[in-house]
Amino acid sequence: MAIGQMTRVSLPYPTTWDIQARFGGRPTSQGTLFLQNVINGRLQGAVNFRGTFIPIQGIWNEAARQIAFETEFASYVGTLFSQDEPLLNLRHYVLQGNVAMRHPSIRAGETGTWTAVTHVRLSR
């Protein structure tokens, strides 16, 4: 293993994302996802749905562009999509996937979908 060797991944970090979870097809929770870092396929950050940042730990699969992370209340899995908008000099990132609530959440056992979006300036 090479020490000090880092490879930039397609998942941007550190970044703040708007996140929304849906259960039963209805939007029920809106919040913020903060991705602090991604090192050797491991990611760290926090999620905030009700005013308190809850730490997350997870994995990032660069080849598949897939993410999986957990909080004490839920497990999330998803896929990254991106689209450039050259006229605005922006790259739009979208994470979409499934969420499963678990104890101690009052929604334990429920499953749904989630979407997170962020926008990053394109390099010139």
Side-chain angles (χ1 to χ4, degrees):
M1 171 195 286
I3 297 175
Q5 182 179 2
M6 293 183 64
T7 303
R8 188 72 178 161
V9 297
S10 59
L11 181 67
Y13 67 89
T15 47
T16 301
W17 302 65
D18 294 322
I19 186 170
Q20 182 177 60
R22 295 171 196 80
F23 297 91
R26 297 181 318 274
T28 57
S29 299
Q30 294 184 352
T32 304
L33 171 66
F34 177 67
L35 297 181
Q36 183 178 350
N37 63 45
V38 179
I39 300 172
N40 296 327
R42 299 271 184 213
L43 68 93
Q44 293 181 318
V47 65
N48 176 357
F49 279 109
R50 292 195 168 84
T52 302
F53 278 87
I54 301 167
I56 63 169
Q57 302 251 343
I59 58 171
W60 168 248
N61 180 327
E62 179 66 26
R65 295 174 62 106
Q66 293 181 332
I67 190 172
F69 62 91
E70 296 185 349
T71 73
E72 63 183 291
F73 301 105
S75 297
Y76 299 78
V77 294
T79 304
L80 176 70
F81 303 93
S82 63
Q83 180 178 0
D84 290 350
E85 195 163 350
L87 289 175
L88 296 178
N89 195 34
L90 288 177
R91 177 167 291 151
H92 305 286
Y93 289 96
V94 178
L95 286 165
Q96 291 180 312
N98 297 313
V99 57
M101 302 305 293
R102 59 186 200 202
H103 293 286
S105 171
I106 60 172
R107 299 194 109 136
E110 290 188 46
T111 58
T113 59
W114 66 281
T115 303
V117 296
T118 194
H119 314 284
V120 176
R121 293 247 173 245
L122 292 170
S123 302
R124 288 201 184 233

